[in-house]
Each structure stands twice: as structure tokens, then as C-alpha cells.
Amino acid sequence: MGSGSSTPHHFVLQKAESAFKAAVLIQRWYRRYIARLEMRRRCTWSIFQSIEYAGQQDQVKLHDFFSYLVDHFTPSSHNERDFLSCMFTEKRLLKDPEMEKYCDYESIEVPDYYTGPHVSFPLLPDHATALVEAFKQKKQLHARYVVNILHEARNHLIQLPNINRISTCYSEEITVCGDLHGQLDDLIFIFYKNGLPSPERSYVFNGDFVDRGKGSIEILMILFAFMLVYPKEFHLNRGNHEDHIVNLRYGFTKEVMHKYKVHGKKILKMLQEVFCWLPLATLIDGKVLIIHGGISDKTNLELLEKLERHKIISTMKYTKKPEKEKLVEESRSSSPWFPLKSRSVPSSPLRLSPQKGSRSASIPCSFIPNRKEISKRVRKSVQLELEKCRQQVGVSEFKVQEELPLLPPESELDSCDLEGVNYEEWKQVADILWSDPMPQEGCKANTARGEGCYFGPNVTEQMLQRHNLQFLIRSHECKPEGYEFCHNRKVLTIFSASNYYEVGSNRGAYVKLGRDLIPHIVQYQANRATHTLTMRQRISRVEESALRALREKLFAHSSSLLGAFKSYDLDGTNFITLSDWSAAVESVLHLGLPWRVLRPQLVTHTTNNMLEYKSWLNDLAKEQLSHENIQSSLLEVLYRNRSNLETIFRIIDSDHSGLISFDEFRQIWKLFSSHMNIDISDESICDLARSIDFNKDGNIDINEFLEAFRLVEQSYLEDKDSELKTSETSDSSCSSQGIH
Amino acid sequence: MGLQEIQKKIKDAFEVFDHESNDTVDVREIGTIIRSLGCCPSEGELHDLIAEVEEEEPTGYIRLEKFLPMMVKVLLERRYRPIPEDLLLQAFEVLDAAKEGFLTKEELMKYMTEEGEPFTQEEMEEMLSAALDPETNTIQYRDYLAMMVIDEN
């Protein structure tokens, strides 16, 4: 069709059309590819966050467990009672002369062969810079200097108010940095990119300097050094991780003990006294409020300014029951030890009251005022309960006394003093350090973290108006871009630990404010490797990591999963639908993840859209187990609870010696297993303990014990293979692979 | 797949972007959701779909209760199926005027940012980061496709 003259025109049109169509096709295809990547990225993020918060919840549960023990435990024997008091007695270094003795760094000798940096006072800018350089070269600061710096830091911090007021009049610009979490590379990068602190260059570090990363102590040393050198220009806020209880779980305690084998304990003790003196907030020009977590609808700056912040050693939650009797009622119907078996944490702290006494300050507990009256009444019935479960659990090796068990002296029980700080004040601080913003209006308890609140845009608005502020800067939450505005740009989250979850997971950022108080954000990613990866590669890598973590969690719940799957397979066909798989997994893990979206990554072999669940669980186990000679159900339980176990062990090992006796180990295990509802026979525990006690001296190195169950190849384990094998053959009940 | 399963699948994907947990998502994320559910609409088709589920007075948000039935229909009718590999290859070949088996960087950029439903600069950079062979500064589209296909599966 068409005449000769229109043919070339027609041809050109056709060609243009087909080029157009081809382009659309390619673009369509590519956009879909990117969308799928984006979905994967979001899911990966959810995985990391939910696992992180689930860990947080465990921590709170653990804490509840200890509080409960202290409240109710009536040891049936002298041994038990002593053991428990040992567990909780950590006298607080309140008195100054004691403190002075503890900070005695002068007696610590620095050997001649020490090649690390030296520090002398008064500290000069060069010293601080030298520290940064030394740490860049992986040198370690000698314990003497660490203690010295901590001592001076504390002296300085004591003079500071709760809310640090600074101004842009003095220095041209102020740089605010968020969480660093022990990632020394990021701090070094910030100083490299933005410049070292100076009278013209102010810095505010908004908490969470430690835990998780491997350079926590080095970061602290650098930050404290600069704070001492430039007291007017260098400012620190307290974060929720500047807390020794949180440190027990999240790695800082471990790092210190590992790097400072002789003086670590001293350093840790001193840190408790330094962290509590960190200011709670910083206020720039009276207009920009910087706090680590957030606010609540009750946040009151006047109250915050007046309270004695150093009395709040830890902001970890301590639950309290409304009345003792109610608790006994509940305890009868469900678990004898601890009524709250569900994953959810109580949504609001129950009624609390002032504390008295001098016991462990490390675990704040609270008691109702008329406890003495009620307690006698209640004690009897509680004892009955406890006797029952003690028998269940087999704590019968302790001699059961004929008479009513003696209670620890009242002074011990009415313990944990937050003298001079009432609940309201404690909550003000907890809210500042733990809260997160949410898009919805209102203010509700932060169930993900177990502390603080979720606060909405109206809460922010009210706060700003009440105190005539312009906006808030906070940290506390990891953001893919290192920062995020919300609440109509009135709240800025700034997070400075890049690659926090995994290499490539997120950028870090810091914000600069000049006289105009307009925020200028700078982003970075402190790992060159990520720059050379394509988006797909970056996402895949982070995703791999997230999925690995998720599979570990799935494995740790194998038994419960099996039960859940079976409930969907009533005919015993050994198959379930993929839909049922999703429902079952959520019902066991409670992570709130989009399982149907994740499923293709987690379930790879299906027949007719049905899953043979037993072999799926077996595949999981195969992947996770590196040594078949370890009883897998035991492994599963230990694995699920390994971070809890470690925390408990560290608390019990109160002299931080790294050793606990055989007996202590068994006692701990019994208390712990009955609380966590673990069903493991005594014999298995004994066998296990025996096989790990290699030198047979009745002592177990905590680290060795935990290492034994890590899924990383440990060379010593290969040596001990033969010993482990012999213990395995003696216990036939659990010798097959996990699934029965 | 039963109707219920389809609905649950859609809800799960929707929830990933429901940041306020109130069964709404930002309209700008709808494309990602639809595509992650297996569909491959063009931008134009996407706009039509959005128009179907938007509020009378657009709020910038799409509600699940409107999205769900529409999406169910799309999935049941198997609309906007993904593009078969050979068709994609043909598309590249059409653009490869000289029939040399590759496109220069400039050629690809021109087509992708000026023809069809143009890429943004970000999209263009992203595609180049994976597709461009830095040594020759060309896009060996056969290899590129092969790699992408493996990645998809």
C-alpha cells in the first residue's frame, strides 16, 4: 500500500515506531526488575529490624526474670540464698573515697615495651589527635590511660547540667552525629571528611557510642579526649546504650574484658560511674533540642533539668505487679515461675514506688510501699508454688529445710535503690533515651523496644510550642540513607553508623547547623567495597545476611515449627500448602514479617505447590549444624537462648573472671530453664558440662562453653572431638537429628 | 492458587509499604507493589491502574480496600505478563541499528532517556552500572540479558 513517494516516509515512521516500542519494552522490563529489587530491599530491612527488636524484647524479659527472682525467690537452703545474693550483690560505688580508690590509675604501671599512645594531663589537642592516629594504626591504649581518661571525663561531666545549652555564637557551625555503635571507621571518616574538633568546629555526639561494633572503647577514648580538650565546643549526650546492663548483652562488656584482661573489671566499674553523668540533652540556641531517642507526651524539660541524672544508672525496664496476690493467682494458672510467657512485653510499666536499700544498682527493681505487710501473707502461698516447681525442676539436691525457709534479711530484699529518684523522673529519662517517632498522632508505649514510647506529630508539635523550639534532632534508629525527616520536618533522625546491619545495608550521615539553624546533611558509607558494587549486588549481599539470620531463627524454633506444621497436616500426609506454611511460621516466630513475599527465598523445593515440611526442617538443620555430634535439640534450645545465656553468665560471673564453678553452672541452668520453659533432662546438662570441663577441675570457662555451641568452626573443638563423642553415645535419647 | 491465597499474597506485599499500619500506601509505591506481584505494566498502564483505585479527590494515598479487588482481577486475568526473553532480545536488536551485537553507551542513553517512556537520570545510571562493559564502553546486550535472566531466577 502507499505510493512510491510515501514509502520512505512510511518506512521511517515504521522504524521510529518500532524503536519507540522497543524502548518501551526495555523500560517496562527494567522497571519491573528494579521494583522487585526494591521489594527485596524493604523485606531485608524488615528482617533486620524485627530481629533486632526481638532481641531487645528478650533483654527485657530477662530483666523481668531477675526482678521476679529478687521479689519472690525464697531460697530453700543456705546455699541457694547465698548463691542468689552473690548474683545480685554489686555494691554501688556511691561514696567518693571509695571511688577515688577505684580510679587509682597511678598504681597501674605502663611497661617499657608498650608502643601505644601515651597520655598526660592537662590534655592537649595534640594528644587527642595522636589518639586518633594511634587507633587508626590499630594500637590499643594502655589500661592506665583508659582509667585516667575516664577519671578526668567523670570530673568534667559532673559539672555539666542535665541539659547542655550551647550556642552558634561561639562556633560558626555545629556538627551533630548520631549512633556510632563501636564503628571506629565511621568516626575516623567523619573527622576526616568534616575536620577534627576545634574552637571553630563544634561537635555534638548524640549517644550510643558503644556496643555491637568492635571499636567501642577506642571511640569512647577519642570522644572523651576531645571533650576534655575542647570542653566548650565538644558535647556528648547519653544514649540508651550508655548503660552497663545493655552493654552486657550487646558486646561492649565483652570487648572491654577481651582487650583489657587484667584491668577490664576496673574499667567497667568506672564506666558505670561515667555513663550516668553524661548529659541527657543538648539545646542549641534554645531552639534545637537534641536527644538520643525521642520524647513522650509527658516530657517536661523543667523536670529533666532538675532531676539527679547520675542516680539513674540504668534505664532498663523493671516491671512491677500491681498486687502480690494477683500475681500469685496468675502464677498458679500458668507457668509457676513467671506468668508472662507471651512474647509481648507489658505495654505500660505497672505502678512503682520509691526504692530503699543498697543492693545491686545494676538491676533496678521496685517494691510497693506496704510490701512488708503483704509479703508475709503472700510468702506462704508463694513458697508452696516454688516448692512445686523446684521439685519439677529437680533442684532437690539442695537440702530441703524442715522449717520455713529463712528469708534473706529485709535489707537485702528491699534492695535496688534509686534514692532520690522517683518513678516519674526515671520515666522522663527512659522516654528521652528510648522513644521513637511514629506517623500516627498520639503517644503509646513502645512495645518493640520495651522502653519509652512511640510519639506522634502532635506530641512533637506540643513539645515545640511548649518550649518555643524549632525542631528536634534525635538518633536511635538506623535509616537507609543515614538520616530521615518526619513529623513535617520537625524531627530529624541522624544515624552515623554506616553499613550497620551488613556491608551495604545503609549510609551514615551527620548534620551541620550554622547560625541560621538550617540543617545540612552529609552522607557517607565507610567501606570502599560498596562503591564498586551495583545496586543489585549490594542488595543481594545484605539480603543474604538477613536471610541467614532469619534461617538461624527458624532453626532455633524447629520443634515449635514442627508442631505448628503438624497442626495443619491433620491427615498426616507430611505435606502442607505454602499458605499454611506462611501462617504457621508467623504463629511461631511472631516477627510480623511478610512471609508470603519472603517465601520464595526460604522455601525452594515444593511439589505441586505443597511443601514436605519435615525435610524442609531437616535441610534447615543440616545447614545450621556443623557438628552432628552435638545433640541437636539441645543445640536448638541453647542457640535460641544463647545471647540470654551469655548475659546471665556475665551477670553471675560478678568478678568478671570468666570462670564459674560447675555447681553454679548447674544452678543457673535450672533456674533459667524453668523460667524459659525449657525441657531438658538434668543428665544431658551434666554430660554436656562434663565434656566441656576439659581440665576436670569443676570450673567452666564461660567463653568456652558458649563457644562450644557457636556455629563457627572452632579449632579446639576438633581436638575435643573424641571427648564429645564419648559423651554423646551415653545419652541415646537425643542422639538422632533434631526432628522426631 | 486459590482466591484466598491470592488475596493474602497481595496483602502481604501491600503491608511492606504500609508504614503507618493503616491499610494505606503512598501512591508512589503502588508501581513497586504491582510489579513485585509478578506484573509488568508499562508506565502508561500503571497510571491507568492507579486512576482506577485512587480516591475521588486524590490524597496521595491508596487504600487497600480499593487496591485489593483491582489487583485480584489483574492477577486472575493474568494481565501485564512479564516479557519473554526472546522478545527482549529482539527489542535490543531493533535499537542496534548497525546490527553489531552491542549498543554504545550513547545509543542506549539516547533511546532510554528520549524514547518510549523515558528513564530518569537515576534509572539510567543504575542500568548502566550493571549493563555497561567498562573496557569497551558498550552494552553487550546478549550477555547482559543472560545475566539478568539468571539473576531473576
Side-chain angles (χ1 to χ4, degrees):
Chain A
M1 277 188 312
S3 61
S5 58
S6 67
T7 308
H9 184 59
H10 182 68
F11 175 70
V12 166
L13 255 184
Q14 248 190 352
K15 193 158 177 277
E17 240 185 70
S18 48
F20 184 94
K21 282 195 187 144
V24 174
L25 205 72
I26 295 172
Q27 287 152 346
R28 221 176 99 195
W29 159 79
Y30 188 75
R31 283 175 172 132
R32 175 167 177 259
Y33 168 74
I34 293 296
R36 290 179 68 181
L37 271 186
E38 175 64 15
M39 180 59 100
R40 280 163 65 185
R41 196 187 65 76
R42 292 295 176 108
C43 288
T44 300
W45 197 259
S46 305
I47 294 175
F48 276 126
Q49 292 224 297
S50 67
I51 291 184
E52 177 176 6
Y53 290 162
Q56 198 97 61
Q57 288 183 9
D58 278 352
Q59 177 77 338
V60 176
K61 264 178 34 178
L62 204 61
H63 220 255
D64 292 347
F65 165 55
F66 281 129
S67 308
Y68 185 87
L69 272 187
V70 171
D71 280 357
H72 283 296
F73 194 86
T74 49
S76 66
S77 81
H78 199 72
N79 292 343
E80 244 179 66
R81 181 190 358 139
D82 280 355
F83 168 62
L84 262 194
S85 359
C86 279
M87 221 163 89
F88 291 111
T89 306
E90 268 197 56
K91 296 251 170 8
R92 168 115 191 248
L93 299 171
L94 267 180
K95 306 177 186 65
D96 268 344
E98 267 186 45
M99 187 61 191
E100 286 303 318
K101 196 175 60 155
Y102 223 82
C103 310
D104 172 30
Y105 50 87
E106 275 163 21
S107 64
I108 306 179
E109 298 258 328
V110 179
D112 288 330
Y113 54 79
Y114 170 70
T115 57
H118 293 268
V119 159
S120 60
F121 285 85
L123 214 49
L124 297 172
D126 281 349
H127 292 143
T129 316
L131 267 185
V132 179
E133 281 309 308
F135 292 151
K136 257 197 232 172
Q137 290 162 34
K138 314 275 187 240
K139 298 254 160 77
Q140 183 172 302
L141 187 64
H142 195 273
R144 179 205 172 101
Y145 299 130
V146 175
V147 177
N148 200 352
I149 288 182
L150 288 178
H151 176 67
E152 296 294 325
R154 181 172 171 269
N155 285 345
H156 169 78
L157 289 171
I158 286 177
Q159 302 163 54
L160 298 179
N162 294 350
I163 302 181
N164 223 346
R165 286 178 158 70
I166 66 182
S167 172
T168 51
C169 293
Y170 301 117
S171 45
E172 296 285 318
E173 56 176 34
I174 301 182
T175 304
V176 182
C177 302
D179 296 25
L180 284 170
H181 279 303
Q183 297 188 183
L184 184 59
D185 283 346
D186 285 302
L187 178 59
I188 290 178
F189 185 82
I190 293 173
F191 283 160
Y192 163 71
K193 178 132 187 174
N194 195 46
L196 287 169
S198 71
E200 293 78 40
R201 197 175 291 116
S202 267
Y203 273 94
V204 178
F205 281 86
N206 197 13
D208 278 11
F209 321 121
V210 302
D211 278 332
R212 293 215 170 88
K214 301 205 168 71
S216 299
I217 191 73
E218 283 75 30
I219 286 186
L220 272 189
M221 290 297 106
I222 293 176
L223 294 180
F224 286 148
F226 277 114
M227 180 184 76
L228 293 166
V229 170
Y230 297 117
K232 297 247 180 317
E233 292 85 15
F234 199 86
H235 312 279
L236 303 175
N237 280 349
R238 188 177 185 183
N240 60 305
H241 277 259
E242 275 69 57
D243 179 329
H244 72 292
I245 300 222
V246 179
N247 298 151
L248 275 166
R249 187 192 176 97
Y250 287 102
F252 183 41
T253 308
K254 200 179 355 177
E255 179 189 322
V256 172
M257 290 313 299
H258 176 72
K259 287 177 176 168
Y260 295 97
K261 294 186 165 55
V262 177
H263 298 285
K265 184 186 162 206
K266 189 176 230 175
I267 293 174
L268 288 171
K269 275 282 194 205
M270 279 221 60
L271 277 164
Q272 278 186 42
E273 296 295 328
V274 175
F275 283 162
C276 63
W277 278 109
L278 285 165
L280 301 171
T282 300
L283 191 56
I284 304 182
D285 290 348
K287 290 276 163 221
V288 180
L289 183 66
I290 310 175
I291 60 260
H292 175 72
I295 56 176
S296 76
D297 52 359
K298 302 273 189 314
T299 297
N300 181 336
L301 288 185
E302 283 95 28
L303 194 56
L304 273 169
E305 274 189 289
K306 284 197 296 224
L307 58 84
E308 294 180 88
R309 69 180 189 270
H310 67 288
K311 304 229 156 145
I312 300 173
I313 291 277
S314 167
T315 50
M316 275 305 300
K317 188 184 189 104
Y318 47 104
T319 60
K320 220 22 199 122
K321 316 84 195 164
E323 262 102 53
K324 295 283 182 155
E325 288 117 330
K326 248 193 216 151
L327 187 63
V328 174
E329 284 297 292
E330 289 172 48
S331 71
R332 277 219 184 87
S333 50
S334 52
S335 153
W337 279 93
F338 194 82
L340 297 165
K341 258 168 75 172
S342 65
R343 279 188 70 86
S344 61
V345 166
S347 58
S348 56
L350 308 169
R351 260 178 293 126
L352 300 154
S353 66
Q355 326 312 322
K356 270 201 315 241
S358 59
R359 198 125 143 228
S360 166
S362 52
I363 303 166
C365 335
S366 68
F367 293 83
I368 51 181
N370 49 352
R371 186 186 182 281
K372 284 180 195 170
E373 288 88 13
I374 296 185
S375 62
K376 276 212 185 102
R377 249 188 295 146
V378 154
R379 223 165 269 162
K380 222 175 168 180
S381 41
V382 171
Q383 268 165 34
L384 282 172
E385 274 305 312
L386 289 175
E387 224 0 83
K388 250 193 271 166
C389 65
R390 224 175 270 121
Q391 280 165 16
Q392 273 181 13
V393 144
V395 184
S396 47
E397 41 205 347
F398 296 109
K399 261 210 208 142
V400 179
Q401 309 284 331
E402 286 298 323
E403 77 271 24
L404 278 180
L406 291 168
L407 291 156
E410 287 295 277
S411 58
E412 277 186 88
L413 282 177
D414 285 327
S415 65
C416 318
D417 174 25
L418 287 178
E419 216 171 70
V421 175
N422 60 35
Y423 166 62
E424 201 194 342
E425 290 171 337
W426 176 89
K427 181 102 174 57
Q428 287 281 329
V429 178
D431 284 344
I432 293 283
L433 299 186
W434 289 86
S435 300
D436 293 311
M438 66 174 175
Q440 304 94 320
E441 308 261 296
C443 186
K444 58 184 189 186
N446 191 326
T447 44
R449 298 193 191 262
E451 310 280 352
C453 324
Y454 289 120
F455 63 100
N458 57 329
V459 177
T460 300
E461 196 50 46
Q462 278 160 26
M463 177 79 178
L464 296 179
Q465 281 193 14
R466 198 185 313 139
H467 297 283
N468 206 9
L469 304 168
Q470 274 180 24
F471 62 96
L472 304 176
I473 299 181
R474 46 89 64 175
S475 305
H476 197 43
E477 279 182 297
C478 182
K479 298 290 176 193
E481 292 298 315
Y483 76 98
E484 191 176 271
F485 281 101
C486 66
H487 293 188
N488 208 14
R489 287 186 82 90
K490 297 290 173 66
V491 174
L492 167 62
T493 301
I494 197 86
F495 193 83
S496 301
S498 67
N499 305 321
Y500 179 59
Y501 290 127
E502 171 59 79
V503 172
S505 66
N506 64 289
R507 291 196 165 113
Y510 54 86
V511 59
K512 295 161 75 92
L513 298 166
R515 296 247 175 86
D516 53 8
L517 294 182
I518 295 179
H520 295 279
I521 315 251
V522 178
Q523 297 168 291
Y524 54 86
Q525 207 151 10
N527 184 320
R528 253 184 233 118
T530 55
H531 295 308
T532 58
L533 299 173
T534 63
M535 176 162 78
R536 176 188 72 80
Q537 286 168 320
R538 250 181 289 134
I539 291 181
S540 295
R541 202 165 154 173
V542 187
E543 190 185 36
E544 255 316 297
S545 192
L547 289 172
R548 215 180 306 131
L550 196 52
R551 281 194 286 261
E552 271 180 25
K553 260 222 173 295
L554 286 167
F555 167 70
H557 290 85
S558 295
S559 314
S560 310
L561 282 172
L562 183 64
F565 292 151
K566 280 190 173 154
S567 72
Y568 283 98
D569 174 30
L570 296 167
D571 296 333
T573 60
N574 284 335
F575 283 88
I576 52 170
T577 65
L578 294 176
S579 174
D580 290 340
W581 175 89
S582 307
V585 172
E586 178 56 24
S587 73
V588 170
L589 289 201
H590 296 295
L591 285 175
L593 289 172
W595 294 107
R596 283 170 198 84
V597 180
L598 292 169
R599 197 180 51 218
Q601 315 267 36
L602 297 168
V603 175
T604 43
H605 301 298
T606 57
T607 334
N608 299 331
N609 261 352
M610 301 281 280
L611 171 67
E612 215 228 297
Y613 53 89
K614 282 190 188 167
S615 45
W616 179 74
L617 283 168
N618 268 329
D619 286 342
L620 259 186
K622 253 184 243 165
E623 189 191 330
Q624 299 291 329
L625 292 172
S626 55
H627 291 275
E628 269 102 38
N629 51 12
I630 298 175
Q631 302 159 6
S632 54
S633 60
L634 189 56
L635 175 65
E636 176 194 318
V637 167
L638 285 169
Y639 203 69
R640 174 169 39 186
N641 292 294
R642 75 190 190 290
S643 39
N644 286 335
L645 279 177
E646 188 175 334
T647 308
I648 293 182
F649 286 0
R650 287 195 192 284
I651 291 176
I652 287 165
D653 175 30
S654 54
D655 62 357
H656 296 288
S657 64
L659 285 179
I660 48 175
S661 77
F662 212 61
D663 260 337
E664 279 178 325
F665 166 65
R666 271 191 332 212
Q667 287 175 32
I668 301 162
W669 186 262
K670 267 150 201 155
L671 289 174
F672 181 73
S673 58
S674 57
H675 165 68
M676 292 302 206
N677 213 31
I678 294 169
D679 173 32
I680 300 259
S681 78
D682 250 10
E683 233 181 280
S684 318
I685 301 300
C686 287
D687 283 347
L688 212 52
R690 265 195 289 271
S691 68
I692 288 166
D693 176 25
F694 298 121
N695 55 6
K696 307 290 174 227
D697 68 348
N699 274 319
I700 296 170
D701 181 320
I702 288 177
N703 289 325
E704 279 188 322
F705 175 75
L706 292 173
E707 287 299 326
F709 292 93
R710 282 191 218 288
L711 299 185
V712 176
E713 301 289 322
Q714 297 288 325
S715 53
Y716 94 91
L717 202 61
E718 267 126 39
D719 296 336
K720 313 300 171 195
D721 245 6
S722 43
E723 284 182 66
L724 282 168
K725 279 206 174 80
T726 48
S727 72
E728 183 220 10
T729 50
S730 64
D731 186 350
S732 56
S733 53
C734 308
S735 57
S736 53
Q737 305 95 317
I739 317 305
H740 302 294
Chain B
M1 241 197 320
L3 179 63
Q4 247 200 345
E5 178 61 7
I6 291 182
Q7 284 175 331
K8 283 200 205 144
K9 204 170 156 203
I10 297 171
K11 275 195 204 145
D12 258 9
F14 192 88
E15 260 167 38
V16 175
F17 293 90
D18 178 11
H19 302 301
E20 303 186 21
S21 303
N22 60 357
D23 286 344
T24 65
V25 304
D26 191 319
V27 66
R28 292 166 290 186
E29 320 250 49
I30 287 289
T32 309
I33 299 175
I34 295 179
R35 286 170 171 135
S36 73
L37 286 167
C39 302
C40 198
S42 67
E43 291 289 293
E45 288 163 336
L46 190 58
H47 284 139
D48 292 339
L49 286 173
I50 291 178
E52 266 183 57
V53 295
E54 251 179 341
E55 306 294 321
E56 301 258 314
E57 301 211 0
T59 58
Y61 286 94
I62 304 292
R63 286 183 294 132
L64 177 62
E65 56 180 7
K66 280 197 142 190
F67 181 74
L68 189 61
M70 182 275 288
M71 199 62 221
V72 167
K73 215 159 153 257
V74 164
L75 287 180
L76 285 179
E77 291 173 6
R78 299 174 66 78
R79 278 153 62 182
Y80 316 119
R81 303 305 296 150
I83 302 155
E85 197 185 332
D86 49 354
L87 209 56
L88 263 177
L89 191 57
Q90 273 182 49
F92 275 103
E93 283 169 348
V94 166
L95 300 181
D96 179 14
K99 303 288 171 247
E100 294 181 82
F102 63 82
L103 289 169
T104 66
K105 179 175 167 192
E106 290 68 34
E107 279 180 313
L108 185 67
M109 282 185 74
K110 182 172 83 103
Y111 282 119
M112 292 294 105
T113 59
E114 293 175 22
E115 293 282 349
E117 297 174 320
F119 272 171
T120 61
Q121 198 189 5
E122 215 185 313
E123 284 172 314
M124 191 68 249
E125 276 171 21
E126 214 10 86
M127 183 185 222
L128 281 174
S129 72
L132 189 67
D133 171 18
E135 281 175 35
T136 58
N137 232 28
T138 62
I139 291 90
Q140 307 286 332
Y141 50 83
R142 269 184 188 277
D143 294 341
Y144 174 55
L145 274 182
M147 176 187 83
M148 296 290 264
V149 163
I150 294 174
D151 180 50
E152 285 285 277
N153 308 332

